[in-house]
Amino acid sequence: MDLEEGLAGVSFGLEHGVFVDNHPSEVRVCSENGFEYRIKGNRKEGHGWSCFPCQNLIAVKRAIDIPAGYGVYIYTFEKKAWKKSEWRPRRVCVRFQHKSQQEEFVSRVEQGMSSPRRPKSILFLVNPVSGSGQTLSKYNSIIKPLFELAGVSCDMVQTCASSDEEHVFYKKMRHCVAVGSRCEYDGIVAVGGDGVFFEMMNTVNRVCGESQVPCRLGHLPLGSTDAVSSTLHGTRSLFTAAMHIILGDYKKVDTLQVEVYSGRDTELSMKNTMTCFCIAATGFMADVISSSSMLRFFGPFRYDIVGALKLIQNTPYKCKIRYSHSEKTFNGDDERAVQCHAECSVCSQPASTDMSHGIENRSEWSAEIEDEFLSVMIMNQACVSDKSTHGMYKYGHLCNGEGVLVMVKKCSPWLFFRFLLAMSTHGLSEHVGDHVQMVRVSKVQVTSAQDDVPLIWNLDGELQVCHKLTATPVHASLPVFARGIER
């Protein structure tokens, strides 16, 4: 066999007649750097090598459409220079002179790609009416072929299609968490907008009950805003989000456990428990979602139209708010003012005892406020989206075990516009204005202070009407496919 072989892997020099993308090249595969090549002429020491770590490769396939020699296609990605969190596909063609070279190369690359983190089977929950209504066609033309190329088995269930489909998904979830049964999927992925992720997350939690979620959840963005994907992956790029899933990226993230009551009296009213990923909001944010539901044909622009109208109306809501301060401590002000990112030190800290038990029956609250508010928001994530590229809460984290309560008291439309502008352009910090109060919290309760008038809530884009809502951040409660924002 005409090749140089060692402990580091296998390498082919120029004398072996190897071509990469029709250029004579040196090629090597090693455990440290993965697949590398250097085109003839780029011989300067330390320069000219193009490197693709094996753990970043989608697939390696033997080419059958190359007329001369023995070809191999390497499917991978490259990061955009101006936005590292957004990836684009890349295919590299390697042509060998001998069959033995091809087989050895493929074998070494496949060994490097092998990882227990990578999923082998995925259940996709597809909402065919999300975004522009092309979700199903994009699943069949883009998503499914990409995952099958990576060797991932795909199973799909539609949501919002029929009660039968809903029953199929619920039945599959019941099977996944059955006592003594091993989950047949390595992950469950929502395809659509934020609403389908909310539906999937709550269905899985409802089926699991007190048990842990049996596999990772994911989101492929094809909705109008896709705040979930932007927060998890730092982008709305469908390819990038799919790659994070294919490569088996793993994180545990915080959720917001929400209890809603149909009446003011907690003992007499009906209670419903749900889980949010990003935000629970009433007032302006809920009014925009509620009024824009009839204008879906405008696409994402409908939020701008309705938002402008609601800003002019400037409608306040009388609420009674009780909250408990977060007991999380920071290592100085520098850690407090850190934006979340892929290698975030704040998110890697273990949960304290107080954070890790979910909703608690506390007899005392840190503070109680009753006033008229234009907006009340409870966030446990940065809530990144196209409308707020730095996040609605600039220093929100995927996994730090606390939430932030934002209360905007009744003020002029101009002051409220300045608040919205600050939130959109650079994200909210703890110093916004006298009419805005921000508090780091471990538990919040909001009750309508108007007789027989419930509040409308926006829970991750889904509407809920209730008289009383209690929300508690739960630390590291949801396993997901994600690596965070690459800054």
Side-chain angles (χ1 to χ4, degrees):
M1 187 180 298
D2 191 19
L3 49 84
E4 301 169 14
E5 191 170 351
L7 293 176
V10 61
S11 63
F12 304 89
L14 291 173
E15 67 274 12
H16 297 123
V18 181
F19 286 74
V20 176
D21 291 336
N22 294 323
H23 297 287
S25 306
E26 301 171 75
V27 173
R28 64 191 183 196
V29 181
C30 63
S31 58
E32 182 179 353
N33 296 323
F35 161 57
E36 295 179 294
Y37 71 90
R38 180 168 62 181
I39 296 175
K40 181 181 179 180
N42 295 336
R43 300 289 295 177
K44 189 175 180 181
E45 186 65 27
H47 295 275
W49 286 100
S50 297
C51 175
F52 298 91
C54 288
Q55 63 266 27
N56 288 349
L57 304 182
I58 305 173
V60 53
K61 300 291 183 182
R62 296 168 181 83
I64 59 175
D65 56 351
I66 295 179
Y70 299 87
V72 174
Y73 287 132
I74 300 288
Y75 295 90
T76 183
F77 67 90
E78 57 187 7
K79 298 179 181 180
K80 293 184 177 180
W82 61 92
K83 190 176 182 181
K84 290 186 177 181
S85 61
E86 192 160 324
W87 303 351
R88 54 190 175 193
R90 171 87 184 273
R91 189 183 77 169
V92 181
C93 178
V94 184
R95 178 159 54 91
F96 299 94
Q97 295 294 325
H98 305 287
K99 178 79 171 174
S100 59
Q101 295 174 335
Q102 179 199 48
E103 293 300 325
E104 180 69 13
F105 177 80
V106 171
S107 175
R108 294 302 179 97
V109 173
E110 287 180 340
Q111 288 178 16
M113 290 174 56
S114 178
S115 170
R117 296 193 316 164
R118 293 198 179 202
K120 301 296 187 295
S121 60
I122 294 288
L123 173 63
F124 293 94
L125 180 63
V126 179
N127 183 0
V129 300
S130 289
S132 57
Q134 299 179 353
T135 308
L136 195 57
S137 63
K138 287 186 177 181
Y139 169 80
N140 290 318
S141 62
I142 300 175
I143 298 171
K144 186 178 180 181
L146 180 60
F147 277 82
E148 289 180 340
L149 174 67
V152 180
S153 174
C154 302
D155 196 0
M156 187 269 286
V157 176
Q158 293 186 52
T159 183
C160 299
S162 66
S163 58
D164 291 338
E165 291 282 1
E166 296 283 357
H167 177 69
V168 169
F169 178 65
Y170 189 80
K171 186 177 180 180
K172 285 180 180 289
M173 293 301 96
R174 293 280 297 180
H175 176 70
C176 285
V177 298
V179 177
S181 173
R182 179 183 177 274
C183 181
E184 62 180 298
Y185 301 106
D186 297 316
I188 308 170
V189 176
V191 183
D194 296 333
V196 69
F197 185 85
F198 177 85
E199 178 183 350
M200 174 188 69
M201 179 174 58
N202 279 277
T203 300
V204 171
N205 284 334
R206 188 167 66 250
V207 172
C208 292
E210 298 296 326
S211 305
Q212 291 185 347
V213 177
C215 59
R216 284 168 285 181
L217 305 186
H219 182 232
L220 292 178
L222 286 172
S224 299
T225 55
D226 298 319
V228 172
S229 179
S230 298
T231 304
L232 289 176
H233 310 296
T235 178
R236 293 182 66 190
S237 164
L238 180 61
F239 174 77
T240 306
M243 283 300 302
H244 287 184
I245 298 171
I246 289 172
L247 298 180
D249 288 343
Y250 173 79
K251 276 186 179 293
K252 276 196 169 184
V253 298
D254 296 347
T255 57
L256 199 64
Q257 189 172 342
V258 175
E259 293 179 345
V260 295
Y261 299 88
S262 58
R264 293 186 191 180
D265 193 326
T266 303
E267 299 296 330
L268 299 178
S269 60
M270 293 183 61
K271 182 182 79 171
N272 189 16
T273 303
M274 288 171 285
T275 303
C276 294
F277 173 70
C278 281
I279 184 173
T282 189
F284 178 83
M285 298 292 291
D287 290 344
V288 170
I289 296 297
S290 176
S291 299
S292 63
S293 59
M294 303 296 292
L295 304 173
R296 296 187 66 89
F297 53 87
F298 278 114
F301 185 59
R302 68 184 183 272
Y303 298 125
D304 299 318
I305 298 173
V306 175
L309 293 175
K310 295 300 178 183
L311 180 63
I312 295 172
Q313 292 176 355
N314 205 40
T315 305
Y317 294 88
K318 192 172 183 180
C319 305
K320 183 172 72 173
I321 301 175
R322 299 192 293 179
Y323 60 85
S324 296
H325 285 290
S326 170
E327 297 180 8
K328 179 177 174 63
T329 58
F330 290 90
N331 297 324
D333 293 336
D334 290 340
E335 187 175 289
R336 182 190 297 271
V338 169
Q339 284 189 273
C340 192
H341 55 90
E343 303 295 333
C344 183
S345 60
V346 176
C347 292
S348 63
Q349 295 179 3
S352 68
T353 304
D354 186 59
M355 293 176 187
S356 57
H357 294 294
I359 291 180
E360 300 174 357
N361 296 319
R362 301 190 183 191
S363 58
E364 295 182 357
W365 298 88
S366 302
E368 181 174 320
I369 302 172
E370 184 170 340
D371 208 332
E372 289 186 310
F373 299 94
L374 292 176
S375 181
V376 177
M377 297 181 288
I378 310 162
M379 294 180 281
N380 68 317
Q381 304 286 350
C383 299
V384 182
S385 69
D386 288 348
K387 301 292 184 184
S388 185
T389 55
H390 293 282
M392 293 171 62
Y393 176 40
K394 186 174 182 179
Y395 301 121
H397 288 268
L398 287 174
C399 190
N400 72 337
E402 70 171 6
V404 61
L405 170 63
V406 182
M407 298 170 285
V408 186
K409 294 183 179 180
K410 183 180 178 181
C411 60
S412 67
W414 168 244
L415 286 178
F416 189 61
F417 173 74
R418 290 181 62 184
F419 162 79
L420 294 175
L421 188 63
M423 183 170 64
S424 175
T425 53
H426 51 75
L428 297 176
S429 61
E430 295 185 3
H431 307 286
V432 183
D434 295 337
H435 59 292
V436 181
Q437 185 176 356
M438 294 181 63
V439 187
R440 292 168 42 240
V441 294
S442 60
K443 187 176 182 180
V444 181
Q445 186 178 87
V446 183
T447 307
S448 173
Q450 297 171 276
D451 293 336
D452 300 324
V453 179
L455 296 172
I456 301 175
W457 284 87
N458 169 5
L459 306 180
D460 284 349
E462 298 297 300
L463 295 176
Q464 183 73 35
V465 180
C466 63
H467 281 271
K468 179 186 293 185
L469 178 142
T470 303
T472 304
V474 185
H475 187 266
S477 57
L478 189 70
V480 295
F481 291 104
R483 66 173 53 188
I485 300 176
E486 295 179 293
R487 298 190 185 277

